[in-house]
Amino acid sequence: MNLKTLTVIGLACTLLISCEMDLDMNEPGNLVPKTVTEDPSLPSLSLNGTSLHAQTYGNPANAMVIFLHGGPGADYRNGLNVRQLADDGYYVVFYDQRGTGLSQRHDKNTYSIQLYLDDLTAVIEHYRTSTNQKVFLFGHSWGAMLAAAYINAYPDRIDGAIFAEAGGFNKQLLDEYGEASRKLNLFSEITNDVLYYDQFLTGRENEHEILDYKLAIASSFSYAEGNDEGIEGASPFWRNGAGVLQAFMDISENEGFYFTTNLNQYQTKVLFLYGENNKSYGLSFAQKEASFFPSSEIVQIADTGHEMIYFKWDSVHPAVLGYLNSLN
Amino acid sequence: MKKIKPLLFIAMFFCFCQQGMPQTVNWNALEDSKHIITAGIGWDFSVSFSLGYAYQLKTNTPILLTSNFSIPSGEKLLDDFKTKIGGQVVFWNRSHLKGSITLNGIYRRFENPLVQLKNFGSELKGVLGFYKPKWFVAAEVGFDKAIVSDFTHSDTFKGTIFTTVKDGWYKPSSGGNFMYGLQTGYSSKQSDLTLNIGMVMTQDFKTTPLVPYYLMFGYNLRLH
C-alpha cells in the first residue's frame, strides 16, 4: 500500500469519525433537557394553548398551595422543598411557567403578563376539586411578583399569599432591586464568565435550545463569591427560558408594569419572607413591598439569601406553615 | 508578582514564536518594515489585552502575515483566550485610498464554573480608508463565524442542571457576529497609535451580544 492510498484511507477515517462525533446543539436532549412536547414521559398538563410541565403532591381535596417559581425564565426544581407542605395537609401544585423549565416553548413575541395570569387561572381551574377549596399562592422572586400581579388583577380569587423576596411589584422597585443586585465589575472573572462566550455562542431569536443553554451557563454569576444576594452556591434547575426572559424584559422596558394598583383592596394578611444575607433586599425593601397591602407580616430567614427555599427550607417551613394554618 | 510572571512568559513566547497580529495598520507608514509588534487593550466581549506580530512579505501588493493572542481580564489568567492566525492584503491600492481584506483562522477557549468551551472559527474583515504617512481613518466591516465548538461540562453543571448533557464537538456552527465601525490612527517614525471602535450584532441581525460594542486601543512597533 503506497503513501497516497494510506493518506486517502486516513482522511476518510478521520472524516467518518469526526462526522460521528459531531453533535447538534439545536437537538433537544444534547445541551438542554427535552421539554414536555419532546418527551411525553414527563408529567404535564395541556391548557390555554400550551403544555406545562407540572406535578402535584398531597390530597387533591386539601387546600391548594401553588408554588410560583422565579425568573422570569427559571423553573420550580429548586423549590421542590415546598412539597413538604403536602405532609402538613396541603395540596401542593408545581408548574413550570409557559416557555421555561420543561414547559413548551413559544415565539418570543407571544408572551405577555396577561397570558401568564390566564395560565395561572387555568392551572387553578384544572386542579381545583371543589368551589370552596382554598387557594394559596407561594411565590419566589419573579414568582412572588407574579403572585402580586394575580392578586392585583383578581383580589377575590386567592385566600392568602407568601412572597419570598419579590424582585419589585412595579418597574421602579424592580429597577431599584436590579441596580442593587446586579453590579458588574468590568475587570473581574465573574464578568467575563458571562460575557466572553457571546463571541462564538449566539442564537437566533427563537432558537430555544442554544439560547436557553447560554442562560444556563451564565447562572454561575448569581452565586459567585461575595454576591450581593447572599446566595450560598449552585441550586438545581432543569432549563431556563431565555425567550420568555427577554420578552418580559422588553415588556418591562417598553411598557413598564404596575402590580400594585389594587393591592390595597386585598384584606387578607399576606406573608413576606426575606433572607438575612441578601444585601439587595433586606427589611427595608420588604417593608416597601408589604406597604401595598393593608395587612402583612414580615419574617426574616436567618443565615441565608435569595435562595432561601432551597438552602434554608428548615427555617422557611415553620414560617410558611404557621401562616397557612392561620388562614386555613 | 504572581500574575506578572505568566504575563512575561506569554510576551516572550510570542516574541520568540513570532506570533501576534496588528489588525489595524497604516498602509502608508509601513514602507519596507518587515516586522510589526503590536499590543492592545480594549473591549472585545470583555476587557481584553492583546499581543501580536506581523510579517510583511516582499510583494508588489502589500501583504501581511499576522497572528494575535488576547486574554480577557479576570483573576484566572489563561482559562479564557483567543488566538488568530491569518493575513491581510491590500486589494485596492491608490496613493491615499486603500481597501484591504483580512482573513483569520481563530481558536478560542472559555471556561467558567459550569463549562469549558473550545472553538474554531474564522474571521473575514474588509477595510476601506484614507491613509497618509502620519495618520489614517477607515471604515471596517467584519464577520466572525464560529465553525465548530467542543463542550466539556463541569460536575457542578451535571449535578445541578443537566445530568445527561452530552459533551463533545458540536456542529453546525454555534453562531456568528457581524461587526462594523471605524479605525483610525496616528503614525510616527516607527510607531502607530491606533483606535478601533464599533458595534457588534449577531448573525440574525435581530439580536446583539449583552454588550454590543467593541473598542480597542493599539500600539504598533515597526521594525526593519
Side-chain angles (χ1 to χ4, degrees), chain A residues 189-190 193 217 220-221 223-224, chain B residues 76 79 110-116 153-157:
Chain A
E189 187 71 33
I190 304 157
D193 276 352
I217 62 172
S220 60
F221 177 82
Y223 54 84
Chain B
K76 295 175 189 167
D79 62 330
F110 166 82
E111 185 173 354
N112 78 3
L114 297 171
V115 68
Q116 182 192 99
H153 294 88
S154 69
D155 291 342
T156 306
F157 186 96

Side-chain angles (χ1 to χ4, degrees), chain B residues 160-174:
Chain B
T160 59
I161 303 174
F162 187 23
T163 312
T164 56
V165 64
K166 292 190 177 77
D167 287 347
W169 288 97
Y170 274 80
K171 280 172 76 180
S173 160
S174 54

